[in-house]
C-alpha cells in the first residue's frame, strides 16, 4: 500500500512539474553605457548568459569608445573605405532608412555634434557659437556610402548608433530567445521588448517614468506579445552649466540639444530598433509633428509635454497612475 502511495505521489509531482508555470529568472548587467535587465520564463541554465553574450558582442561592433569597434574604425578612417562586419553594414543601412523616413530628425551621423558637447566623455561642455555654426554641415546621413561590407564617410564626419543600437540589440536577443522557445521581457536602458507571452496568460505591462520624478510613474502601458516600447527623454542624460540644463538628444539642424516642447516620447512598435530610432526622432520633432509622424510611420506613441500633459495616439493601451 505504502509503495502505491509513493508511486501516486511521484506521479502527481511529475504532473505538477509538467503543468506548473515556469519561474522567471532575471539578470542585471551594465552594457552600452546603461543598466539592462533580461527576464526569461525558463529554468534552463545558460539562457540569460546567452543573451548577455549577444549584447556584449554587439557592443564590440558598435561602440564609439572602443577603438577597435567597426564604428570607431569608421570614425577614424579620414574618408577612406573601411571593411566592417555584415551586421554593422546592415545596421548602418537600416539607420539610413530610418533617417530618411524621419526626415533627418534621427541621424546616425550626429557624432561630431555629440563629441563637441562631450557627451561620450566625462568632460561635458557647451561649445562656442562659432563651433556650433560649423557642425550641422557635418551631419548628413546621405553621406554614408555602403557597398556590401565596405563603408565610407567623408573626412571630419562620424557615426554614432547610440539612438538605435540598444533597440537593435534587444531585437537580436529576442530572435535568439524565440529560437530557443523561451518567452520573457527585456529592458535595455529604456528599451523594453516582450518575447512571446507570460506563462499565466496575462499581458506584459510597462510603467512610463514620470520625467519630473525618478521615483514616480505616469501610468502603465499594456503590450502585446512581441511588442517593443522605447522611451527617449531629456531627463535620461544631461548636464548642467550655469544653471542651464543641456540634454543628450540633439537636433541635427542646430547640433544643439533639441528645443522640443516634449520631455519624453515612448514608441510602441514591432521592432525595438525601429522604436528606438523613431523615439529619438519624434522627440526632436516636437508634439505636433510627432503626432503626425507617428501616423505616417504607423507606430503608436505616448508623448509627454514639458507642461506635464500626456498625449496618446489611437490604440495605445495606457492606464494613467
Ligand atoms: P536615445 O536615448 O535613443 O534618444 O539616443 C540618444 C543618443 O543618440 C545620444 O546620447 C547620442 O549619442 C545620439 N543622438 C543624439 N541625438 C541624436 C539624433 N538626433 N539622431 C541620432 N542619434 C542621436
Ligand atoms: Mg533612440
Amino acid at each position: 500500500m505504502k509503495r502505491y502511495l509513493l508511486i501516486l505521489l511521484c506521479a502527481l509531482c511529475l504532473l505538477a512539474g509538467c503543468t506548473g508555470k515556469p519561474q522567471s529568472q532575471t539578470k542585471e548587467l551594465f552594457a552600452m553605457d546603461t543598466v539592462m535587465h533580461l527576464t526569461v520564463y525558463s529554468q534552463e541554465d545558460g539562457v540569460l548568459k546567452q543573451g548577455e553574450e549577444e549584447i556584449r558582442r554587439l557592443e564590440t561592433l558598435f561602440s564609439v569608445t572602443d577603438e577597435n569597434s567597426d564604428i570607431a574604425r569608421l570614425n577614424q578612417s579620414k574618408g577612406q573605405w573601411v571593411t566592417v562586419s555584415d551586421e554593422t553594414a546592415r545596421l548602418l543601412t537600416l539607420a539610413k532608412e530610418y533617417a530618411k523616413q524621419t526626415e533627418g530628425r534621427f541621424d546616425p551621423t550626429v557624432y561630431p555634434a555629440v563629441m563637441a558637447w562631450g557627451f561620450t566623455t566625462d568632460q561635458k561642455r557647451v561649445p562656442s557659437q562659432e563651433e556650433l555654426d560649423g557642425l550641422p554641415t557635418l551631419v548628413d546621413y546621405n553621406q554614408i556610402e555602403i557597398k556590401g561590407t565596405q563603408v565610407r564617410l567623408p573626412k571630419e564626419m562620424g557615426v554614432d548608433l547610440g539612438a538605435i543600437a540598444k533597440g537593435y540589440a534587444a531585437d537580436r536577443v529576442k530572435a535568439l530567445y524565440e529560437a530557443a522557445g523561451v518567452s520573457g521581457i527585456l529592458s535595455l536602458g529604456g528599451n523594453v521588448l516582450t518575447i512571446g507571452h507570460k506563462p499565466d496568460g496575462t499581458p506584459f505591462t510597462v510603467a512610463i517614468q514620470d520625467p519630473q520624478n525618478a521615483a514616480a510613474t505616469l501610468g502603465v502601458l499594456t503590450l502585446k506579445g512581441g511588442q517593443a516600447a522605447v522611451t527617449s527623454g531629456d531627463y535620461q542624460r544631461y548636464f548642467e552649466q550655469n544653471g542651464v540644463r543641456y540634454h543628450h538628444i540633439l537636433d541635427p539642424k542646430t547640433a544643439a540639444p533639441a528645443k522640443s516642447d516634449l520631455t519624453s516620447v515612448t514608441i510602441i512598435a514591432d521592432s525595438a530598433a525601429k522604436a528606438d530610432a523613431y523615439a529619438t526622432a519624434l522627440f526632436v520633432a516636437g508634439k505636433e509633428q510627432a503626432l503626425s509622424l507617428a501616423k505616417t510611420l504607423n507606430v503608436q506613441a505616448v508623448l509627454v509635454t514639458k507642461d506635464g500633459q500626456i498625449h496618446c495616439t489611437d490604440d495605445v493601451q495606457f492606464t494613467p497612475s
Side-chain angles (χ1 to χ4, degrees), residues 183-302:
S183 63
I185 185 162
L186 314 170
S187 172
L188 276 52
N191 293 246
V192 173
L193 183 58
T194 64
I195 306 159
H197 296 276
K198 276 208 227 170
D200 66 2
T202 58
F204 287 110
T205 54
V206 183
I208 294 187
Q209 193 188 315
D210 181 348
Q212 313 287 348
N213 177 359
T217 59
L218 293 179
V220 171
L221 267 178
T222 302
L223 298 179
K224 296 196 181 93
Q227 272 187 326
V230 178
T231 302
S232 271
D234 58 3
Y235 60 93
Q236 291 171 330
R237 241 169 246 247
Y238 61 86
F239 69 95
E240 277 171 350
Q241 193 170 300
N242 299 331
V244 182
R245 186 187 274 206
Y246 300 95
H247 65 80
H248 73 308
I249 305 171
L250 307 179
D251 184 340
K253 286 209 173 81
T254 60
K259 287 203 164 81
S260 179
D261 54 357
L262 297 170
T263 184
S264 105
V265 172
T266 301
I267 300 292
I268 300 118
D270 52 3
S271 139
K274 183 197 276 182
D276 195 355
Y278 288 178
T280 307
L282 267 62
F283 182 94
V284 173
K287 190 192 97 185
E288 286 310 320
Q289 290 183 10
L291 285 170
S292 62
L293 264 171
K295 255 200 189 121
T296 321
L297 298 169
N298 199 23
V299 290
Q300 297 171 4
V302 179

Side-chain angles (χ1 to χ4, degrees), residues 112-181:
V114 173
M115 283 289 279
W117 289 85
F119 271 115
T120 54
T121 70
D122 290 334
Q123 273 140 20
K124 319 267 187 292
R125 59 186 276 274
V126 180
S128 68
Q129 193 54 51
E130 200 187 351
E131 212 180 334
L132 279 176
D133 290 345
L135 284 168
T137 54
L138 299 178
V139 182
D140 178 7
Y141 64 92
N142 286 303
Q143 303 288 328
I144 310 175
E145 286 180 86
I146 307 169
K147 284 187 187 158
T149 55
Q150 299 282 303
V151 185
R152 185 166 68 174
L153 261 187
K155 224 171 164 176
E156 318 288 338
M157 285 183 61
V159 161
D160 177 347
L161 296 176
I164 187 173
K166 291 190 283 287
Y168 177 79
D171 286 336
R172 296 317 310 154
V173 176
K174 177 185 171 190
L176 214 125
Y177 285 173
E178 274 177 346

Side-chain angles (χ1 to χ4, degrees), residues 42-60:
S42 164
Q43 286 312 294
E44 267 179 55
D45 286 341
V47 174
L48 289 171
K49 187 90 195 119
Q50 246 185 312
E52 177 179 2
E53 281 167 1
E54 179 68 353
I55 292 165
R56 301 224 182 268
R57 183 183 71 79
L58 296 171
E59 188 173 20
T60 64

